[in-house]
């Protein structure tokens, strides 16, 4: 290790730098200014250290991006139920994941671009496969289910991430729907009724499909 690297590592220790703090700071930059604004130089400035110091906590920019994704998955995963039926556990993972992506929308393009296959995310996947395989799903199908669930969450946020069907109906009701009679009737018939949010509707349909697969293969 060169003298400059030793000095950088010592400076990092003096300011209480940790990998977790580095990832949190990177996520803050993405939240505030977008993914394109994240650089090692800017991250170092935000943490009060030279950019080279960051490399003692993440070896390169790719590892930094993987780590940021890992942190988002970790935060969502930490909120999930650890018991219950496989359906309940899928729901308890899906909703916090959507919440995390709504809180950090700048991370969504990165999540689409990168698989983020780190030891932590693979560990989460391993636990998910354990639950689904124990429920009777073949492992390849269980893996596909996990990917489908994550894709549903990402797609929902990319599409706007609205969490209130009544808001959507309200916007439609303000339009002139005279030439769209079925749309107008749907809005009128739904008036005053409490509808599930779009993500919940899609998640229900997905889980029912998984249940049908399981009953067919049994």
């Amino acid at each position: 290790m060169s003298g400059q690297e030793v000095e950088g590592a010592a400076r990092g220790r003096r300011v209480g730098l940790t990998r977790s703090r580095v990832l949190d700071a990177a996520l803050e930059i993405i939240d505030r200014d977008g993914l394109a604004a994240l650089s090692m130089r800017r991250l170092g400035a935000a943490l009060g250290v030279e950019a080279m110091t960051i490399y003692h906590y993440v070896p390169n920019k790719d590892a930094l991006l993987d780590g940021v994704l890992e942190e988002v998955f970790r935060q969502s995963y930490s909120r999930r139920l650890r018991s219950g039926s496989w359906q309940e556990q899928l729901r308890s993972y899906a909703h916090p994941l959507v919440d995390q992506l709504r809180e950090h929308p700048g991370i969504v393009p990165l999540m689409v671009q990168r698989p983020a296959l780190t030891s932590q995310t693979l560990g989460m996947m391993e636990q998910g496969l354990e639950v689904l395989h124990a429920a009777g799903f073949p492992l390849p199908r269980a893996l596909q289910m996990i990917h489908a669930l994550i894709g549903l969450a990402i797609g929902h946020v990319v599409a706007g991430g609205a969490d209130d069907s009544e808001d959507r109906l309200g916007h439609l009701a303000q339009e002139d729907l005279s030439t769209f009679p079925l749309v107008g009737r749907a809005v009128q018939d739904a008036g005053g009724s409490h509808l599930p949010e779009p993500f919940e509707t899609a998640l229900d349909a997905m889980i029912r499909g998984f249940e049908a697969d399981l009953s067919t293969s049994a």
Side-chain angles (χ1 to χ4, degrees):
M1 181 179 292
S2 69
Q4 184 179 10
E5 289 173 330
V6 171
E7 182 181 354
R11 187 182 301 112
R13 287 193 296 271
R14 286 197 298 272
V15 298
L17 208 56
T18 63
R19 183 175 184 273
S20 178
R21 188 178 171 199
V22 168
L23 297 180
D24 286 343
L27 188 55
E28 287 175 7
I29 292 173
I30 294 172
D31 287 342
R32 184 175 61 249
D33 301 316
L35 182 60
L38 179 63
S39 68
M40 300 303 247
R41 183 182 299 274
R42 184 162 184 182
L43 180 56
L47 291 165
V49 298
E50 296 293 333
M52 287 300 297
T53 304
I54 304 299
Y55 292 101
H56 295 283
Y57 302 91
V58 286
N60 50 51
K61 179 72 174 290
D62 284 342
L64 174 65
L65 296 176
D66 285 345
V68 170
L69 286 178
E70 176 187 284
E71 183 65 14
V72 171
F73 277 114
R74 185 194 65 76
Q75 291 178 14
S76 65
Y77 194 75
S78 67
R79 302 178 189 178
R80 66 177 282 272
L81 293 174
R82 304 294 171 162
S83 60
S85 68
W86 65 266
Q87 296 96 325
E88 291 169 333
Q89 294 203 51
L90 284 183
R91 291 180 188 282
S92 75
Y93 177 66
H95 286 292
L97 179 58
V98 167
D99 290 343
Q100 280 293 303
L101 295 181
R102 285 173 178 158
E103 289 177 24
H104 308 292
I107 209 72
V108 173
L110 182 60
M111 191 169 286
V112 171
Q113 297 165 13
R114 303 180 67 85
L117 299 179
T118 68
S119 59
Q120 175 129 1
T121 58
L122 287 172
M124 298 174 192
M125 187 177 295
E126 180 78 9
Q127 292 181 35
L129 288 174
E130 183 179 356
V131 170
L132 295 173
H133 191 49
F137 291 99
L139 284 173
R141 181 57 171 165
L143 184 60
Q144 187 181 42
M145 290 166 63
I146 292 172
H147 286 151
L149 185 70
I150 294 172
L152 179 65
I154 294 172
H156 175 69
V157 176
V158 168
D163 58 358
D164 193 340
S165 292
E166 294 178 8
D167 284 348
R168 292 173 181 257
L169 290 173
H171 290 310
L172 281 172
Q174 296 172 16
E175 300 294 323
D176 179 6
L177 301 176
S178 57
T179 56
F180 307 99
L182 294 179
V183 178
R185 182 177 169 185
V187 172
Q188 183 177 5
D189 289 353
S193 61
H194 178 71
L195 298 175
E197 63 168 284
F199 181 71
E200 188 65 33
T201 299
L203 183 59
D204 280 345
M206 177 176 282
I207 289 177
R208 285 197 300 271
F210 293 155
E211 289 171 339
D213 283 352
L214 189 58
S215 63
T216 301
S217 62

